[in-house]
Amino acid sequence: MNNVSLPVNRIYKDRLYKMIFNDKSELLKLYNAINGTHYDNPAMLTITTLDNAIYMTMENDLSFIIDMRLALYEQQSTVNPNLPLRFLMYIPDIYSAYTKDMNIYGSKKVQIPLPSFVIFYNGVKSQPDRTEFLLSELFHPTTDQPALELKAVMLNINKGHNQELMNACHTLRDYSEYVARIRTYSAEMPLTDAVEKAITECIHENILRDFLLKNRAEAKAMSIYEYDEEKTLRMFREEGYEDGERNGKIQATIEMCLEFNLSSDAIVQKLMTKFQFSENQAQEYLDNYIAQNS
């Protein structure tokens, strides 16, 4: 990393997006852009972001309260329909801390901030400007009248998307441009060089200029780590899909053989021929299938 040395857990914890918008002034601008509001005092923000140093298993990207409104923001490079469930897991700790000095067992209603849940998507797969995910879509069995609901809105912040939002929040627009340049340049040169070129250009062109000048080394390390992680996770997902698809075909083959009352030896031979297994591999797949379905 060209002599950039940061502890991996620090890099993993402090994503570039999170580091940029941890600044209350920038976070307030982002909130105003999303909600069409015009708050101008960053001191109005009360940060409620969960830190796993305190909450041992819970850590979210950004959350805060302003004017009795609770906003939870997550940045994702993949589409995750389970985020409403994750948001649901964050909420109890935030509300517990907010109401710790209130009498929630009394007869008088307590007042809690109105929540909203936003996902900022900047992955490589094509997505619309806006997508909604509902907690009730995860329920099984399904119901038209869920007793519990949570709606998360995913906003595509890739370059060329949500232009009105980008125009309203120049920092978000700059972040989108910076990420786009790294992806473009990394297809042409080593990742370290691509990040260095993107940073140099952005500073020269007044894109995240102040932030990058102040935090150049750390921003470079984070960007390299995040892009490497994004590519690695994408590779694992693709391999996982291929493995799942292959396992499904193996299972279907075994089931078809059983329907025709083929012997175990005949099934093993079929698996060896169709999937280029050794005899031991084919026998292991058959034994596992029988054990799971007996």
Side-chain angles (χ1 to χ4, degrees):
M1 292 188 186
N2 286 359
N3 298 323
V4 176
S5 178
L6 290 172
V8 171
N9 61 347
R10 173 70 185 279
I11 298 171
Y12 182 84
K13 177 181 176 183
D14 294 330
R15 300 304 179 108
L16 191 64
Y17 149 86
K18 185 175 178 180
M19 185 178 179
I20 292 170
F21 290 105
N22 256 333
D23 182 289
K24 282 189 174 184
S25 295
E26 297 296 347
L27 190 55
L28 185 60
K29 293 175 187 176
L30 180 59
Y31 180 85
N32 282 335
I34 292 172
N35 296 281
T37 50
H38 303 281
Y39 295 107
D40 58 6
N41 183 6
M44 293 180 66
L45 292 175
T46 300
I47 303 299
T48 58
T49 302
L50 301 176
D51 186 336
N52 65 6
I54 301 172
Y55 301 89
M56 296 305 292
T57 60
M58 285 291 156
E59 180 179 8
N60 63 340
D61 279 350
L62 292 167
S63 62
F64 59 95
I65 297 172
I66 181 170
D67 199 15
M68 284 301 290
R69 285 165 173 79
L70 169 63
L72 286 86
Y73 293 166
E74 292 286 315
Q75 180 264 322
Q76 294 282 301
S77 60
T78 59
V79 178
N80 186 347
N82 298 312
L83 268 166
L85 181 58
R86 284 172 50 184
F87 280 128
L88 181 67
M89 293 175 177
Y90 301 150
I91 279 288
D93 284 328
I94 295 172
Y95 278 148
S96 291
Y98 184 83
T99 60
K100 63 180 175 28
D101 296 322
M102 299 180 183
N103 181 12
I104 62 172
Y105 300 101
S107 58
K108 185 179 179 180
K109 289 182 180 179
V110 299
Q111 293 184 334
I112 56 176
L114 177 69
S116 62
F117 309 91
V118 179
I119 306 155
F120 298 101
Y121 170 78
N122 69 340
V124 297
K125 290 190 175 181
S126 178
Q127 293 294 321
D129 279 6
R130 179 187 174 97
T131 307
E132 290 186 357
F133 295 111
L134 299 177
L135 179 67
S136 60
E137 293 171 346
L138 305 178
F139 292 154
H140 185 77
T142 60
T143 176
D144 293 332
Q145 296 181 321
L148 179 65
E149 187 59 281
L150 187 153
K151 179 177 74 175
V153 176
M154 185 176 78
L155 301 176
N156 190 340
I157 59 169
N158 280 301
K159 186 177 179 180
H161 288 270
N162 278 304
Q163 201 58 53
E164 185 176 347
L165 173 62
M166 298 297 181
N167 291 338
C169 183
H170 292 176
T171 302
L172 187 64
R173 181 193 63 192
D174 287 356
Y175 171 73
S176 175
E177 177 65 32
Y178 173 72
V179 171
R181 293 193 185 201
I182 292 176
R183 286 185 177 146
T184 298
Y185 299 151
S186 65
E188 306 165 353
M189 61 186 71
L191 178 57
T192 302
D193 295 339
V195 172
E196 181 64 32
K197 181 178 180 179
I199 290 175
T200 300
E201 284 187 356
C202 286
I203 290 174
H204 180 70
E205 297 174 30
N206 201 28
I207 299 169
L208 290 181
R209 176 182 172 84
D210 292 343
F211 173 82
L212 292 173
L213 282 173
K214 183 179 179 181
N215 305 284
R216 182 167 189 147
E218 194 165 8
K220 181 176 180 178
M222 289 179 186
S223 299
I224 292 170
Y225 178 83
E226 287 182 37
Y227 193 84
D228 267 346
E229 182 193 42
E230 178 184 321
K231 290 198 300 183
T232 300
L233 289 175
R234 189 160 64 247
M235 179 186 70
F236 283 150
R237 283 192 299 274
E238 290 170 356
E239 289 180 353
Y241 174 79
E242 291 171 0
D243 289 344
E245 187 177 42
R246 189 166 188 251
N247 288 336
K249 290 179 179 178
I250 294 169
Q251 180 175 318
T253 300
I254 294 172
E255 290 173 349
M256 181 185 67
C257 291
L258 291 173
E259 287 179 5
F260 283 94
N261 295 316
L262 297 184
S263 66
S264 294
D265 288 343
I267 296 175
V268 167
Q269 288 299 319
K270 182 72 173 177
L271 293 175
M272 290 170 63
T273 301
K274 186 169 183 178
F275 299 101
Q276 289 78 53
F277 287 152
S278 68
E279 183 175 355
N280 287 340
Q281 286 175 316
Q283 187 65 56
E284 184 178 356
Y285 271 102
L286 178 58
D287 290 345
N288 287 340
Y289 177 87
I290 293 172
Q292 292 171 8
N293 293 275
S294 60

